[in-house]
Every structure is written in C-alpha cells, then in structure tokens.
C-alpha cells in the first residue's frame, strides 16, 4: 500500500498507550517500513521499545497483555508483542535491551533508508518482488526480501563501524 501520512500519528498513539500501562520512561521509536516517509508498506506499525533487560519486559508483560497486547511472533532474538483489531494485526512491538539498542538492525535499517532515497527505492522494488514471489509460492515474503535487507543493514552497520550480522531472526 502507498505511504500513509497518518502512520506517524498511529505510532505516537501506540507508543503513548504502551508507556501508559508499562513504563512512562521507556524510549519507543517508530521502525519498519511505515517509519520511512514515502515508502510503500503493509499498514502495520512496528515499534522498538528500549528496556533495561528481559526481566523488565517480563515485569510489564502482564499489564501490556491486559491492555490488549499479545505475545506472539516467530522472532527468536528478542521479545515481541502484537496488537490486533478485529483479528487483523495492526502493530508489532519489539522489545530490545538497552545494551543492544545502538546496534538494533531494525533501527539501523530505518535510519539508512531515511538517509538514502535510492536505497529506499531499491528496497521498495524488492518488497514488490517479494510479494510476487510469495503469491507464486516460490518463497515466503520475508525470505524473498532478506537479501536486500541483509545488504542494506550491512551497509548501515559498516557506516557505524559495526560488523555484519545475519538479519534473519525468525524461528525455523
């Protein structure tokens, strides 16, 4: 879907809601394709939440669940909660320990795409190709776009003096 200028406002409401039921001091950033102005995306808002450690997530998890967030994701590297409305996923909150915050691939990719419009255009094209591959059944959407994500994250990490790491963080 075409970029929707309402996505940043949706992010702010979601972030405020998370802070209201968990920790009002949490740093929460808008990540994912909806965080890159002009980029086509599925209308799912991704949030990066900085927590002190996984124990802090577990402390606030019950309150987040009471507010409507549910644990559920194939991600294996960090806790993730999803928000659904009428059975449709509309938001995903990723919880990253503070010690990892500056090297979080999702944040680095967002910053890279915002600063490099040509790469954002390449990424948009690759995402369309990934949708087509998934429709043909030749690859999952995520698998089909992993090569371009890996390339762009590698560039973003190198620009910050960070080593390359695999971007795929889904459970097999």
């Amino acid at each position: 879907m075409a970029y929707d200028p309402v996505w940043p406002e949706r992010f702010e409401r979601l972030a405020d809601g998370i802070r209201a039921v968990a920790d009002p001091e949490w740093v929460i950033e808008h990540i994912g394709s909806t965080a890159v102005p002009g980029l086509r995306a599925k209308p799912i808002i991704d949030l990066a939440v900085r927590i002190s450690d996984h124990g802090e997530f577990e402390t606030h998890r019950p309150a987040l669940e009471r507010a409507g967030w549910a644990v559920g994701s194939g991600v294996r590297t960090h806790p993730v909660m999803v928000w659904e409305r009428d059975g449709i996923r509309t938001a995903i909150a990723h919880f990253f320990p503070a010690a990892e915050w500056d090297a979080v691939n999702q944040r680095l990719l967002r910053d890279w795409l915002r600063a490099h419009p040509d790469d954002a255009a390449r990424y948009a094209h690759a995402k369309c190709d990934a949708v087509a591959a998934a429709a043909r059944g030749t690859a999952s959407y995520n698998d089909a776009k992993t090569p371009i994500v890996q390339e762009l994250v590698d560039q973003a990490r190198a620009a910050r003096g960070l080593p390359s790491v695999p971007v795929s963080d889904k459970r097999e």
Side-chain angles (χ1 to χ4, degrees), residues 83-112:
W83 180 268
E84 293 184 354
R85 173 168 277 147
D86 301 323
I88 298 170
R89 184 176 291 187
T90 60
I92 305 171
H94 301 259
F95 296 82
F96 299 104
E100 300 169 12
W101 188 252
D102 290 336
V104 167
N105 287 335
Q106 294 87 335
R107 295 180 66 241
L108 297 175
L109 179 60
R110 176 212 50 211
D111 293 349
W112 186 265

Side-chain angles (χ1 to χ4, degrees), residues 72-162:
S73 168
V75 173
R76 61 179 156 70
T77 56
H78 58 272
V80 175
M81 297 190 88
V82 298
W83 180 268
E84 293 184 354
R85 173 168 277 147
D86 301 323
I88 298 170
R89 184 176 291 187
T90 60
I92 305 171
H94 301 259
F95 296 82
F96 299 104
E100 300 169 12
W101 188 252
D102 290 336
V104 167
N105 287 335
Q106 294 87 335
R107 295 180 66 241
L108 297 175
L109 179 60
R110 176 212 50 211
D111 293 349
W112 186 265
L113 294 175
R114 285 177 173 174
H116 297 88
D118 290 344
D119 283 338
R122 288 179 50 232
Y123 180 56
H125 182 74
K127 286 173 47 155
C128 290
D129 289 348
V131 168
R136 289 190 307 270
T138 57
S140 74
Y141 173 74
N142 283 330
D143 287 346
K145 71 176 188 168
T146 294
I148 186 73
V149 172
Q150 185 71 59
E151 176 189 335
L152 297 172
V153 167
D154 284 349
Q155 290 174 339
R157 292 180 70 82
R160 294 190 183 198
L162 298 169

Side-chain angles (χ1 to χ4, degrees), residues 4-71:
D4 188 337
V6 135
W7 289 337
E9 295 168 22
R10 284 187 48 214
F11 158 75
E12 290 296 340
R13 284 194 306 274
L14 288 160
D16 288 346
I18 288 172
R19 286 187 199 101
V21 299
D23 186 333
E25 300 300 316
W26 274 350
V27 172
I28 305 176
E29 293 183 1
H30 192 181
I31 57 172
S33 294
T34 61
V36 181
L39 190 61
R40 296 176 57 83
K42 294 183 278 186
I44 300 171
I45 306 298
D46 285 281
L47 304 95
V49 183
R50 188 177 71 192
I51 55 176
S52 60
D53 55 34
H54 293 291
E56 182 180 25
F57 168 75
E58 289 300 329
T59 296
H60 293 288
R61 178 178 156 183
L64 290 162
E65 288 173 334
R66 284 191 300 275
W69 289 91
V71 172

